[in-house]
Each structure stands twice: as C-alpha cells, then as structure tokens.
Amino acid sequence: MEPLKQFQQRQQQFEQQAQKYQLKYNQFGWLRVFLFLTGFLGTYFLFQSQGALAMAVGGLLFLLAFLFSLKAHNRIEYQRDHFRFLSYINRDESARLHNEFIRDETGEAYTEPNHFYTSDLDIFGKHSVFKLLNRTRTLGGAQKLAAWLKHAETAPEIRLRQEAVTELTPRLDWRQMLEANAMHYKEVNQSTHSLLQWMAEPEIVSQSFGMRLAKWLPMITIPLTVAWLAGFLSLQVLFLFILVHLFVLGRIFKAVKDTCDKTNTISQTLMAYANIIKVVEKEKFTAAKLQALQHAFVDKHTTASKAIQQFAIILRNLNYRNNPYFYSLIGIISLWDLQFFIRTEQWKKQHQQALINWFEAVAEWESLNSLAGYAFSNPEFIMPILSPEPMELQAEHLGHVLIRKDKRVTNHVQLSGLGKTLVITGSNMSGKSTFLRTVAVNAVLALAGAPVCAKSFTISVIRVFTSMRTQDSLEESVSSFYAELKRLKQLIEQVDNPEPVLYFLDEILKGTNSQDRHHGAKSLIKQLHQHPSSGFISTHDLELGRMADEHPDFVHNYSFNSELINEELFFDYTLREGICRSFNASQLMKQIGIEV
C-alpha cells in the first residue's frame, strides 16, 4: 500500500479508537460522580444508624472505590489521548506528502548568519528541509537533527546512520509509538539546560552527617504531634521540636529554593524522556548504531526509563513545597525539603553522567526516527553511495525534495575530480537556481545520513558551500555586491583547508557591470581550480561559458533553455550540455507591457 493511503487509513482507525475511549471516559466520569454521592450519603447513613466506627469503615471502603475509579479513569484518558496523538501523527504524515506542514516548528532558531549553506538552501524555515524531516518532540532531538543538517559527518558515521535508518524505516508502528509516547507531556520540548547545570553542582546536604541524622527527627516529632492532639503532651514541648525543624529547614532553604527554581517544571519533561526510552528498551535491533544507542540505556541498578521516572517523581514531590498550605501542614513537621533534597542529591550522585548520556541518546533516537519517517514516506528515494574519491558527485533523475512529486522535474548530473567547475547558463526562469539548490540539498541530506531524491546518487564526503541569496544590509551599510564579495571571501578562505569543498554560486557577481563580472568570474574559477574544490556556477554571461574552449580540462558547460511557441514561453527545466542558445528577457518584458 502506498504511504498516503496507509497514513489516511491509520488516521481514520486511530480516530475511531479515540472516540471509543472518549465514550468510556465520559461514562467513568459519571461513575465517579455516582461513587462520590453514594459515598457521602452512605457514610452519613452509617453514622446515623451504626455509629462512628461503621462510618469510618464504610468511608474507607468508598474512598478506596473512588480512588480505583480515578485510576481507571486516568488510564482511559491516557489511551484516548494516545490514539488522538497517533491520529494527529498520521494526518501530519499525509500533509507532508503534499509538502504541507501542520506542525509549528520551523527550525529557524538553529540558523547561523554566516553558515555555509543553510539560508540559501531552505534548510530551516516555514517551508524547509527541517520541517520535511522533523519528527522529533524533545528540544534535544530537534537540536540534534538541526546539527546533522548543518555539518557533514565522517564516512563511517554516515554509513552507520544509513544502516540504522534502513532498519527503522519499515517499523511504522514502533516509530509512531516512539513519537506518540513523547506527546503525552506538554513540557516534552522544555530545555534541560538548567537541570544539567544543577547536576554538575556538588552535593551540599547529603554530604553533611548532621543533615543525614536530622532527617530522622520526624520519627520523634510526628508521634509527639499525635500525643499533643490527644491531650497527652503540652504544646511547649512540641513547639521546641518544631523550632528545631525550622532551624534545619532554614539551613537548607536557599539550596532547596535554587534547586526548585531550576527544576520547577522539568519533572514532566523527564516523564516524557522516560516514555520514549521505554519504547526503545523493549525493542530488538540488529544495526550496530541502534544497538549501541540502546545499550546507552543500560543501568547497573535499574533501567534508564525507571531511573528517570523515579527522578521525575522525586523532583515533583520536592516542588510540593511551593504550596504554602502543604508546607505549613506537612512540610515543616515532616522535614519535607530535607527528605526529598537528600534523595535528589543521592540520585544525582548515582546517575549524573548517565543522565547526560541518556539525553544525548534520546536526541539521536529521535533524529534517526525522523530520517526513517522521511524514508518511509518517500519509498522512491534511495540511500546514497559514498565514494572514496576526494571529489565525486554522480546522480540520475535527481529532484528537489521540497517540490511536490507531481511538479518535480529531475535531471542527471556528473562531477568528478578536484578543481572542476560546471558553468550553468540559461534564460530567465529556466531552472538554473532550482537546479543548483536541488544538487546542494541532496548533497546535504546524503552527508547527514538521509535518503536522497534520486534514482542513483554517489557522493564523496565533502563540505558544501553556497552563495545564492546575498542581500544588502542598511544596518551595516553593505551593498548586495559587497555582501556577495564577503561571501566569496568566505569560500576562498575555506578552500585553503585540505577537506574538499563543493561550491554552488548562483548568478555570480551579478551586482556589477558585465566587463568586471566576466573578468572577476574567470579569475575566481581559475583560483578555485588550484585548490581542493569543485562546483557549479550559474550565470547569464555567455562569455564565461567560453572558458571551456580555453580550459576544457576543468571547465564544462551545461544549460537550461526555453522555447517560444505562439508568443508563449515554455520551459522543460531539463539540463543539457553546452551553452544556452535561447534567451527570453525581451519576451518576458513584452508580456508585462514593456514595449521592446
């Protein structure tokens, strides 16, 4: 079954399941109301007819029944929400197939002003590669995926990712379960930075023998409180113990407050991480990278999911202190701050380094899950072959991933060896810029370990560099021409490094006169030829294309053309060898009313 039909079918099935559980949820809601009223009236009746003891026993039974119904109600709510999330995920997948995005995340927070290619290639933004790929839910997962799209990996790591993605791709149920499990907690995408900062701080309380001894004080104070309530003890004696409690709590007040400030809402985020890890822990994998990432969750004493869940509960309990009524009635007499602060420090001491590794592993799992989801949705895409050569790029039927399948035009491309430049000439709107972006985007995907939109694709491990959308800046008093020169300066600095660069320069030096443009472009091509780099240059300058006659060993011409039929322009967006022979500027000007 093709992915679109499969997603639509799953969306409908999950929505039906969600409605079924919504009905159960409503029924249990009325049951809880009935139990509450029955319990209230029943205990009152028992008190009137049988006395206080019967009322206490009956009230306890009704309370247990109510708590049982509450737990069952919460389980039904969880199942209902889970099916809703799965329905949403499949609706999202269906939309992506039409290059429509219903999720808000754009990845724009991960842009870098002077990055080598992200701005030119729509890696981040409202209609971007990141939005097409992103199936992460945690902030760490989104950051990891963004990092993969910004930096090429080594060949061994790319192959490990490819193997992992290939294994995960057909596991549709498992992958969507991973994503849905994280969605149960709204705080799933909260930053863990403050928590990790606190984890790096030394233990304060648990190292103190006096504090470890003081935590047992409630064993004395609580019975004394009961004795006072029963009239067997004077208030003065109890008050002395309360003063001791206040003294102890005062000693640790600042440390506890600082901890709560840094972990105030993180417990729900930790529960989301535990939910994700549970899904991973239960599965079996064969890919080396998946096994290594799964092994990262192995703990000496318990599973990573249970340990994180335990930590989330400890932090949640610690933060109950923020309720003034709870703190006054229970917190002081039980030394609540001390009890749970010691537990947090003990957990930290035991799992400090492991937690960092667990967060990192979850981020990788989500990133791999994103690539696998993208691969499943596009079964016609293929995994690239990595070439051992310093510079090789060969592709058949290469298309742009952000162009819908029914509108996508594919082309072949071949570039082998260092110091080579493919000059792309063409008429306006013929497809030069789109072609450059098509090649570059697929190169970025390949070097991230993702599938590419091609029938075949071979690439060396290189660095991608683009200069396509240079703009002027009023704030910096920089013209568009000078902005492009600054960008080209970046390229010249990069090609001095030993790692090969694959460059894409669109409408090179367009901001100056034709003579300077031609001379500057020729000089740049010759200069780049002396360095470990190769690439593509698009231009309207036909004279630049004639460099192939002078330097056939490193300059090659390709072009896009248009055709005029009955005063109408037609484009086939097909790359051909040789210099462009058809130009359409005059015709385009006529079409908008300029008399030429």
PDB file of all heavy atoms in Angstrom, residues 23 29 37 54 70 92 160 187 220 252 424 508 587:
ATOM      1  N   LEU A  23     -15.880   7.891  24.771  1.00  0.00           N
ATOM      2  CA  LEU A  23     -17.160   7.431  25.304  1.00  0.00           C
ATOM      3  C   LEU A  23     -16.962   6.782  26.674  1.00  0.00           C
ATOM      4  O   LEU A  23     -17.712   7.060  27.624  1.00  0.00           O
ATOM      5  CB  LEU A  23     -17.804   6.450  24.329  1.00  0.00           C
ATOM      6  CG  LEU A  23     -19.178   5.892  24.732  1.00  0.00           C
ATOM      7  CD1 LEU A  23     -20.194   7.017  24.880  1.00  0.00           C
ATOM      8  CD2 LEU A  23     -19.650   4.857  23.708  1.00  0.00           C
ATOM      9  N   GLY A  29     -16.611   9.167  34.052  1.00  0.00           N
ATOM     10  CA  GLY A  29     -16.806  10.455  34.712  1.00  0.00           C
ATOM     11  C   GLY A  29     -18.090  10.461  35.514  1.00  0.00           C
ATOM     12  O   GLY A  29     -18.123  10.904  36.677  1.00  0.00           O
ATOM     13  N   LEU A  37     -21.248  10.720  45.408  1.00  0.00           N
ATOM     14  CA  LEU A  37     -22.529  10.981  46.073  1.00  0.00           C
ATOM     15  C   LEU A  37     -22.950   9.808  46.947  1.00  0.00           C
ATOM     16  O   LEU A  37     -23.431   9.988  48.078  1.00  0.00           O
ATOM     17  CB  LEU A  37     -23.607  11.276  45.023  1.00  0.00           C
ATOM     18  CG  LEU A  37     -23.427  12.574  44.227  1.00  0.00           C
ATOM     19  CD1 LEU A  37     -24.492  12.683  43.142  1.00  0.00           C
ATOM     20  CD2 LEU A  37     -23.486  13.777  45.159  1.00  0.00           C
ATOM     21  N   ALA A  54     -18.621   2.323  62.242  1.00  0.00           N
ATOM     22  CA  ALA A  54     -19.189   1.865  60.968  1.00  0.00           C
ATOM     23  C   ALA A  54     -18.998   2.935  59.891  1.00  0.00           C
ATOM     24  O   ALA A  54     -18.720   2.641  58.726  1.00  0.00           O
ATOM     25  CB  ALA A  54     -20.666   1.528  61.127  1.00  0.00           C
ATOM     26  N   LEU A  70     -10.819   6.490  39.903  1.00  0.00           N
ATOM     27  CA  LEU A  70      -9.987   7.594  39.439  1.00  0.00           C
ATOM     28  C   LEU A  70      -8.800   7.073  38.628  1.00  0.00           C
ATOM     29  O   LEU A  70      -8.473   7.607  37.556  1.00  0.00           O
ATOM     30  CB  LEU A  70      -9.495   8.413  40.630  1.00  0.00           C
ATOM     31  CG  LEU A  70      -8.544   9.577  40.317  1.00  0.00           C
ATOM     32  CD1 LEU A  70      -9.231  10.603  39.426  1.00  0.00           C
ATOM     33  CD2 LEU A  70      -8.055  10.223  41.614  1.00  0.00           C
ATOM     34  N   ASP A  92      -0.427  14.420   9.986  1.00  0.00           N
ATOM     35  CA  ASP A  92       0.788  15.184   9.704  1.00  0.00           C
ATOM     36  C   ASP A  92       1.586  14.540   8.570  1.00  0.00           C
ATOM     37  O   ASP A  92       2.079  15.224   7.666  1.00  0.00           O
ATOM     38  CB  ASP A  92       1.639  15.278  10.982  1.00  0.00           C
ATOM     39  CG  ASP A  92       2.944  16.003  10.762  1.00  0.00           C
ATOM     40  OD1 ASP A  92       2.950  17.031  10.067  1.00  0.00           O
ATOM     41  OD2 ASP A  92       3.980  15.534  11.285  1.00  0.00           O
ATOM     42  N   LEU A 160      26.819   4.244   9.310  1.00  0.00           N
ATOM     43  CA  LEU A 160      26.096   3.730  10.480  1.00  0.00           C
ATOM     44  C   LEU A 160      24.675   4.287  10.531  1.00  0.00           C
ATOM     45  O   LEU A 160      23.721   3.566  10.841  1.00  0.00           O
ATOM     46  CB  LEU A 160      26.849   4.091  11.768  1.00  0.00           C
ATOM     47  CG  LEU A 160      28.136   3.309  12.049  1.00  0.00           C
ATOM     48  CD1 LEU A 160      28.861   3.895  13.261  1.00  0.00           C
ATOM     49  CD2 LEU A 160      27.834   1.836  12.288  1.00  0.00           C
ATOM     50  N   GLU A 187       5.273  19.443  28.292  1.00  0.00           N
ATOM     51  CA  GLU A 187       6.598  20.016  28.563  1.00  0.00           C
ATOM     52  C   GLU A 187       7.727  19.226  27.900  1.00  0.00           C
ATOM     53  O   GLU A 187       8.895  19.414  28.220  1.00  0.00           O
ATOM     54  CB  GLU A 187       6.839  20.065  30.072  1.00  0.00           C
ATOM     55  CG  GLU A 187       5.871  20.945  30.845  1.00  0.00           C
ATOM     56  CD  GLU A 187       4.565  20.238  31.199  1.00  0.00           C
ATOM     57  OE1 GLU A 187       4.389  19.061  30.779  1.00  0.00           O
ATOM     58  OE2 GLU A 187       3.730  20.839  31.870  1.00  0.00           O
ATOM     59  N   ILE A 220      10.334  11.262  65.655  1.00  0.00           N
ATOM     60  CA  ILE A 220      10.007  11.669  67.030  1.00  0.00           C
ATOM     61  C   ILE A 220       8.888  12.708  67.028  1.00  0.00           C
ATOM     62  O   ILE A 220       7.927  12.613  67.793  1.00  0.00           O
ATOM     63  CB  ILE A 220      11.259  12.252  67.729  1.00  0.00           C
ATOM     64  CG1 ILE A 220      12.393  11.211  67.748  1.00  0.00           C
ATOM     65  CG2 ILE A 220      10.924  12.722  69.133  1.00  0.00           C
ATOM     66  CD1 ILE A 220      13.712  11.761  68.251  1.00  0.00           C
ATOM     67  N   ILE A 252      18.941  24.821  54.929  1.00  0.00           N
ATOM     68  CA  ILE A 252      18.988  24.331  53.546  1.00  0.00           C
ATOM     69  C   ILE A 252      18.018  25.097  52.635  1.00  0.00           C
ATOM     70  O   ILE A 252      17.856  24.746  51.456  1.00  0.00           O
ATOM     71  CB  ILE A 252      18.653  22.825  53.480  1.00  0.00           C
ATOM     72  CG1 ILE A 252      17.227  22.570  53.966  1.00  0.00           C
ATOM     73  CG2 ILE A 252      19.651  22.015  54.283  1.00  0.00           C
ATOM     74  CD1 ILE A 252      16.756  21.154  53.733  1.00  0.00           C
ATOM     75  N   ILE A 424      26.748  26.820 -15.588  1.00  0.00           N
ATOM     76  CA  ILE A 424      25.358  26.616 -15.989  1.00  0.00           C
ATOM     77  C   ILE A 424      24.822  27.932 -16.537  1.00  0.00           C
ATOM     78  O   ILE A 424      24.665  28.909 -15.790  1.00  0.00           O
ATOM     79  CB  ILE A 424      24.468  26.168 -14.814  1.00  0.00           C
ATOM     80  CG1 ILE A 424      25.150  25.070 -13.998  1.00  0.00           C
ATOM     81  CG2 ILE A 424      23.101  25.738 -15.320  1.00  0.00           C
ATOM     82  CD1 ILE A 424      25.328  23.770 -14.704  1.00  0.00           C
ATOM     83  N   ILE A 508      26.715  34.623 -10.419  1.00  0.00           N
ATOM     84  CA  ILE A 508      27.939  35.131  -9.801  1.00  0.00           C
ATOM     85  C   ILE A 508      28.221  36.579 -10.191  1.00  0.00           C
ATOM     86  O   ILE A 508      28.080  36.978 -11.355  1.00  0.00           O
ATOM     87  CB  ILE A 508      29.135  34.212 -10.176  1.00  0.00           C
ATOM     88  CG1 ILE A 508      30.384  34.639  -9.418  1.00  0.00           C
ATOM     89  CG2 ILE A 508      29.349  34.134 -11.664  1.00  0.00           C
ATOM     90  CD1 ILE A 508      31.536  33.673  -9.572  1.00  0.00           C
ATOM     91  N   GLN A 587      11.082  38.799 -24.395  1.00  0.00           N
ATOM     92  CA  GLN A 587       9.723  38.274 -24.416  1.00  0.00           C
ATOM     93  C   GLN A 587       9.030  38.461 -23.069  1.00  0.00           C
ATOM     94  O   GLN A 587       7.849  38.809 -22.996  1.00  0.00           O
ATOM     95  CB  GLN A 587       9.737  36.798 -24.807  1.00  0.00           C
ATOM     96  CG  GLN A 587       8.371  36.178 -24.987  1.00  0.00           C
ATOM     97  CD  GLN A 587       7.553  36.847 -26.096  1.00  0.00           C
ATOM     98  OE1 GLN A 587       8.121  37.352 -27.072  1.00  0.00           O
ATOM     99  NE2 GLN A 587       6.239  36.873 -25.938  1.00  0.00           N
TER     100      GLN A 587
END
